[in-house]
């Protein structure tokens, strides 16, 4: 086939939605399909995804896009290969032998590991970690999310102790499942994603024993093999569905993918992607540069030769701030309306919104702030808050650019942008005003997906080199020129910096973030017992999944619903289990009173006297049983309740 008749599929698995695009040789999407999936927020600061739902979303996007492709008269056999791009850091654990997930995915925005981070920071060697892996100790990286699971989710701990725990970021999970799971067992992660875990040495692009030792996971965990971002043989092929047997040829974390999609291949080039969060990547070439000003070092792309590195400024809240106005405050029905709402007023009316929903990331790294709006008066309208929300991301971008200039010694002359929030003209004009350089927005904004297609296409020669990509997506973009003076911009920024200073310290201790959970005395560490245990918790803000689907998933995790007696026989529940206190109820539906469980008015699960002396391991086992009981409770609608 001529290159012009060949297409590449791109899976873009983002934080709020999944897309599949079918892209032609000119880099144009000819068909696409997008679905949103549940955002699970069990408690303040917690954010989860259902790992199986992520896979479902990918499969249905592929089916939808292929259908639309064929409706236009194309044949699916002309789709030569698929590339993957994905939200980074989001952490998934599964059973290496069965391929079943053991907990919901903990999303990159989730801050529940604050206490763990605080403890890790006090360990010897903590301050030198960033010089190996490029990342600071924070709730953002996968490492601290994994440690939280090991500490708080008995079934994860159990799998770890038995040596059957597999860990991966979203790329590894999708590649594994798309290949058919445990049978094919394609267990790989590309360098850009792997570099977000804190387990990888940036110079060698291999797992680093010093890092694994620091986190206490050396030797016990199944970690995906690190492979190049573009590779004709590492990623296997899609096992079933509309593109069965089509090979996966490339994979990039979404921010790296956007850099590639913007074709920022030369040192000194940068891009800023305004999606759920906002991420500015600055190409520094073939040697990693370590920041002294609050930026991260990451792998830009690894196409098989020398890897290319980037300095990164990560902002946790961008489009999610817009979504917050839409979904939590009902300011409008659809994200795009934020632009018009903000235009109902001339300026922010004195409001500054520090959107620290997950603390503040780069370059501040403040984990004791929550979102705070300063300057509200009787005069304040929705429009002012909408403006302040858009401005928050633009101010943080300005702070990141200042830091980048200090680290690199060079100033950017233009900023290339993309991502959902970049569709707001007002946001992009504000951005140009605040950074005093032009902002360039390409016509085709699906640059993240384009990057994944390029990674896959390069592996099979659909494009043979970067020069062949030069004309892709070049025409028809928009340029936003700064319209205010540098002095005016500096005055606005000063106010923002003041607001950031004032937002510090709101979360008075790391434990504030766990106040919804309860502890078991005697574990020697903070342990959230109750709702940390079940997957797919329904105590959350969710959408799009029917109760029937949820129940099916739960059944999938446990297989068929076992009786308590069966569990005892299988050894999951020992006959001596006793979790007793006040009101005892016989939970065994078979009438065999071989275990008892109770709930107290106070939110503590209290163990009976013979277990009070029990050691930590025994208590973990007991918690595992409670987890099973909670599942039974939900599946059989038993009346057990915990706080
Ligand atoms: N026209 C718009 N103006 C402002 N924000 C928008 C607009 N369109 C989408 N968004 C925001 O962009 C985000 C989605 O962008 P996207 O690049 O798809 O993110 P992700 O890959 O993280 O899912 C959402 O949070 C949404 O609120
Ligand atoms: O979903 P996005 O596009 O905001 O990207 C998420 C990032 O990869 C998190 O590091």
């Amino acid at each position: 086939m001529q290159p012009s008749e060949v297409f590449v599929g791109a899976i873009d698995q983002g934080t709020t939605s999944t897309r599949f695009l079918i892209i032609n040789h000119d880099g144009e999407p000819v068909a696409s399909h997008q679905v949103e999936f549940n955002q699970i927020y069990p408690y303040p600061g917690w954010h989860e995804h259902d790992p199986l739902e992520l896979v479902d979303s990918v499969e249905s996007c592929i089916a939808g896009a292929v259908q639309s492709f064929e409706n236009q008269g194309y044949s699916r056999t002309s789709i030569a290969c698929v590339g993957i791009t994905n939200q980074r850091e989001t952490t998934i654990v599964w059973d290496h032998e069965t391929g079943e997930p053991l907990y919901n995915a903990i999303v990159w925005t989730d801050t529940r590991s604050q206490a763990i981070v605080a403890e890790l920071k006090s360990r010897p060697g903590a301050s030198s970690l960033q010089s190996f892996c490029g990342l600071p100790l924070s709730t953002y990286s996968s490492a601290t999310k994994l440690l939280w699971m090991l500490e708080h989710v008995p079934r994860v701990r159990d799998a770890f102790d038995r040596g059957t725990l597999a860990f991966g970021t979203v790329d590894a999970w999708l590649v594994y499942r798309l290949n058919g799971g445990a049978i094919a067992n394609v267990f790989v992660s590309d360098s850009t994603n792997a570099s977000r875990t804190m387990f990888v040495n940036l110079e060698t692009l291999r797992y680093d024993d010093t890092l694994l030792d620091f986190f206490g996971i050396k030797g016990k965990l199944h970690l995906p093999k690190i492979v190049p971002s573009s590779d004709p043989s590492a990623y296997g092929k899609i096992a079933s569905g509309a593109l069965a047997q089509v090979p996966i040829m490339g994979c990039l974390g979404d921010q790296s993918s956007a850099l590639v999609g913007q074709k920022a291949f030369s040192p000194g080039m940068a891009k800023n992607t305004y999606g759920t969060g906002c991420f500015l990547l600055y190409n520094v070439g073939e040697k990693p540069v370590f920041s002294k000003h609050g930026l991260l070092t990451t792998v830009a792309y690894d196409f098989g030769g020398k890897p290319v590195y980037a300095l990164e400024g990560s902002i946790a809240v961008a489009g999610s701030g817009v979504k917050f106005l839409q979904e939590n405050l009902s300011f409008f029905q659809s994200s795009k309306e934020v632009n018009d709402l903000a235009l109902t007023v001339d300026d922010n009316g004195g409001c500054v919104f520090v959107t620290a929903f997950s603390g503040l990331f780069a370059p501040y790294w403040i984990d004791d702030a929550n979102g705070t709006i300063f300057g509200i008066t009787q005069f304040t309208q929705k429009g002012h808050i909408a403006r302040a929300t858009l401005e928050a991301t633009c101010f943080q971008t300005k702070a990141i650019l200042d830091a980048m200039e200090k680290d690199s010694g060079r100033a950017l002359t233009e900023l290339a942008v993309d991502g959902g929030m970049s569709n707001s003209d007002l946001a992009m004009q504000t951005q140009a005003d605040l950074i005093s350089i032009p902002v360039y927005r390409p016509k085709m904004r699906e640059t993240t997906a384009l990057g994944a297609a390029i990674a896959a296409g390069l592996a099979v020669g659909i494009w043979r080199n970067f020069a062949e990509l030069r004309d892709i997506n070049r025409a028809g973009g928009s340029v936003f020129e700064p319209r205010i003076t540098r002095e005016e911009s500096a005055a606005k920024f000063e106010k923002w910096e003041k607001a950031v200073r004032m937002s510090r310290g709101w979360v008075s201790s790391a434990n504030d973030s766990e106040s919804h959970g309860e502890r078991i005395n005697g574990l020697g560490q903070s342990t959230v017992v109750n709702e940390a245990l079940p997957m797919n918790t329904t105590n959350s803000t969710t959408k799009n999944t029917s109760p029937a689907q949820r129940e099916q998933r739960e059944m999938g995790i446990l297989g068929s619903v076992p009786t308590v007696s069966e569990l005892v026989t299988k050894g999951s529940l020992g006959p001596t289990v006793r979790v007793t206190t006040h009101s005892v109820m016989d939970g065994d539906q078979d009438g065999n009173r071989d275990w008892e469980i109770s709930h107290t008015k106070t939110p503590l699960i209290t163990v009976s006297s013979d277990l009070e002396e029990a050691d930590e391991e025994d208590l973990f086992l007991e918690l595992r049983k409670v987890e099973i009981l909670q599942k039974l409770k939900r599946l059989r609608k038993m009346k057990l309740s915990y706080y």
Side-chain angles (χ1 to χ4, degrees):
M1 261 193 267
Q2 294 299 310
S4 59
E5 293 162 5
V6 175
F7 297 83
V8 184
I11 296 167
D12 180 359
Q13 202 304 294
T15 309
T16 54
S17 75
T18 301
R19 303 162 167 86
F20 184 71
L21 284 79
I22 301 170
I23 292 175
N24 68 17
H25 186 256
D26 294 330
E28 297 157 348
V30 292
S32 67
H33 194 78
Q34 178 170 6
V35 298
E36 291 197 350
F37 48 85
N38 288 300
Q39 303 298 322
I40 306 172
Y41 301 109
Y43 298 106
W46 292 34
H47 187 182
E48 299 176 358
H49 292 153
D50 174 348
L52 295 175
E53 194 184 359
L54 295 184
V55 179
D56 286 355
S57 74
V58 169
E59 288 173 347
S60 55
C61 282
I62 292 176
V66 168
Q67 176 83 60
S68 143
F69 187 62
E70 292 191 329
N71 289 347
Q72 296 174 54
Y74 297 109
S75 162
R76 67 180 73 184
T77 57
S78 59
I79 301 172
C81 57
V82 164
I84 298 179
T85 180
N86 56 283
Q87 51 170 321
R88 306 164 306 164
E89 297 92 22
T90 297
T91 300
I92 303 182
V93 289
W94 63 94
D95 186 307
H96 185 67
E97 287 164 2
T98 66
E100 292 307 317
L102 296 174
Y103 194 65
N104 276 341
I106 299 188
V107 180
W108 60 274
T109 49
D110 189 294
T111 57
R112 76 183 71 179
S113 60
Q114 275 178 350
I116 290 172
V117 171
E119 191 276 318
L120 290 172
K121 279 183 176 167
S122 67
R123 288 190 194 175
S127 57
S128 63
L129 296 183
Q130 190 162 357
S131 63
F132 289 85
C133 66
L135 307 178
L137 267 173
S138 78
T139 57
Y140 179 36
S141 67
S142 313
T144 63
K145 298 176 197 302
L146 174 68
L147 289 199
W148 186 91
M149 291 188 200
L150 288 171
E151 216 171 89
H152 295 269
V153 188
R155 64 149 68 198
V156 175
R157 181 83 218 179
D158 199 33
F160 179 75
D161 290 340
R162 282 187 286 112
T164 60
L165 187 69
F167 153 91
T169 39
V170 170
D171 58 315
W173 170 244
L174 291 181
V175 169
Y176 176 80
R177 292 295 292 216
L178 289 174
N179 270 278
I183 298 162
N185 197 21
V186 179
F187 190 35
V188 295
S189 186
D190 100 287
S191 315
T192 66
N193 276 292
S195 75
R196 311 300 295 185
T197 57
M198 287 198 90
F199 302 147
V200 174
N201 184 314
L202 278 186
E203 302 271 0
T204 62
L205 294 189
R206 293 284 162 258
Y207 295 111
D208 187 303
D209 281 351
T210 311
L211 296 166
L212 298 180
D213 257 346
F214 181 86
F215 292 108
I217 56 161
K218 193 166 130 198
K220 284 197 154 180
L221 193 62
H222 292 269
L223 289 162
K225 182 178 171 203
I226 302 171
V227 296
S229 321
S230 177
D231 192 305
S233 57
Y235 294 103
K237 56 183 183 246
I238 297 176
S240 58
L243 291 184
Q245 303 308 311
V246 173
I248 303 167
M249 295 287 189
C251 183
L252 288 159
D254 55 6
Q255 302 311 323
S256 290
S257 201
L259 187 87
V260 169
Q262 291 269 15
K263 295 168 285 161
F265 295 127
S266 307
M269 295 179 84
K271 68 87 210 178
N272 202 25
T273 302
Y274 303 72
T276 302
C278 180
F279 302 87
L280 202 159
L281 264 65
Y282 178 92
N283 183 330
V284 295
E286 291 173 356
K287 280 235 150 285
V289 171
F290 292 92
S291 173
K292 293 190 171 63
H293 301 96
L295 305 178
L296 311 181
T297 310
T298 200
V299 180
Y301 50 87
D302 171 15
F303 287 159
K306 285 196 172 162
V308 169
Y309 297 89
L311 272 173
E312 172 173 328
S314 328
I315 300 168
V317 172
S320 54
V322 175
K323 273 251 182 290
F324 170 79
L325 300 185
Q326 179 192 329
E327 293 178 352
N328 300 42
L329 305 187
S330 305
F331 274 19
F332 36 76
Q333 303 290 319
S334 141
S335 297
K336 62 175 188 277
E337 294 172 52
V338 70
N339 197 80
D340 288 346
L341 178 60
L343 283 171
T344 57
V345 292
D346 293 336
D347 55 29
N348 64 20
C351 290
V352 178
F353 191 174
V354 181
T355 49
F357 302 160
S358 304
L360 278 185
F361 287 6
Y364 305 104
W365 300 105
I366 300 172
D367 59 10
D368 60 0
N370 279 158
T372 313
I373 304 179
F374 294 93
I376 294 186
T377 66
Q378 205 77 41
F379 173 76
T380 305
Q381 302 290 324
K382 285 180 181 174
H384 298 123
I385 309 271
R387 261 189 193 258
T389 306
L390 298 176
E391 286 174 357
T393 308
C394 301
F395 279 128
Q396 288 170 83
T397 297
K398 152 89 177 140
I400 285 166
L401 276 179
D402 288 350
M404 248 165 214
E405 195 174 327
K406 286 183 198 146
D407 277 329
S408 69
R410 278 203 257 179
L412 269 193
T413 52
E414 181 180 88
L415 183 64
V417 300
D418 50 46
M421 202 180 102
S422 75
N423 288 308
S424 161
D425 286 358
L426 178 63
M428 295 304 100
Q429 183 59 53
T430 305
Q431 188 65 86
D433 290 345
L434 289 175
I435 57 180
S436 308
I437 56 171
V439 165
Y440 171 72
R441 184 178 66 188
K443 183 161 183 234
M444 202 285 283
R445 320 261 160 83
E446 298 287 356
T447 36
T448 304
L450 178 59
I454 290 173
L458 285 171
V460 280
I462 291 175
W463 298 286
R464 282 164 301 177
N465 50 47
F466 291 162
E468 280 192 13
L469 300 164
R470 201 182 44 222
D471 292 335
I472 286 180
N473 205 19
R474 261 176 41 132
S478 322
V479 178
F480 298 85
E481 297 284 351
R483 289 188 190 155
I484 62 174
T485 64
R486 283 180 184 269
E487 290 68 34
E488 286 167 321
S489 161
K492 288 173 190 282
F493 188 61
E494 206 176 299
K495 211 159 181 193
W496 161 262
E497 291 277 295
K498 179 178 176 188
V500 169
R501 281 195 302 279
M502 291 180 71
S503 73
R504 283 180 186 270
W506 175 255
V507 182
S508 54
S509 79
N511 291 342
D512 274 12
S513 65
E514 291 184 355
S515 55
H516 48 267
E518 303 304 333
R519 293 151 210 294
I520 275 202
N521 296 324
L523 277 183
Q525 57 199 346
S526 314
T527 302
V528 180
V529 177
N530 42 17
E531 303 295 346
L533 296 167
M535 285 182 66
N536 302 316
T537 175
T538 49
N539 177 19
S540 55
T541 308
T542 62
K543 53 181 191 289
N544 297 342
T545 303
S546 68
Q549 275 175 317
R550 290 198 155 270
E551 185 137 291
Q552 271 173 8
R553 293 238 165 78
E554 286 168 358
M555 304 279 276
I557 292 152
L558 277 179
S560 60
V561 185
T563 65
V564 172
S565 297
E566 280 169 349
L567 288 171
V568 171
T569 317
K570 284 184 195 159
S572 305
L573 278 180
T576 57
V577 180
R578 227 159 241 284
V579 187
T580 63
T581 48
H582 309 135
S583 56
V584 176
M585 54 183 287
D586 182 359
D588 190 340
Q589 305 288 294
D590 311 340
N592 299 329
R593 207 178 166 83
D594 48 16
W595 60 276
E596 293 171 325
I597 188 151
S598 70
H599 57 98
T600 65
K601 285 273 183 283
T602 52
L604 271 179
I605 296 168
T606 312
V607 294
S608 63
S609 58
D610 55 330
L611 285 173
E612 252 160 19
E613 304 296 315
D615 67 17
E616 207 170 298
E617 202 174 327
D618 285 341
L619 282 170
F620 266 123
L621 287 176
E622 295 313 306
L623 290 177
R624 176 127 196 274
K625 290 158 196 162
V626 172
E627 172 194 16
I628 293 166
L629 293 172
Q630 285 183 318
K631 280 197 191 308
L632 283 171
K633 170 193 135 189
R634 283 183 294 136
L635 292 169
R636 293 171 163 186
K637 310 205 180 346
M638 286 158 65
K639 284 193 185 144
L640 300 177
S641 61
Y642 299 94
Y643 296 86

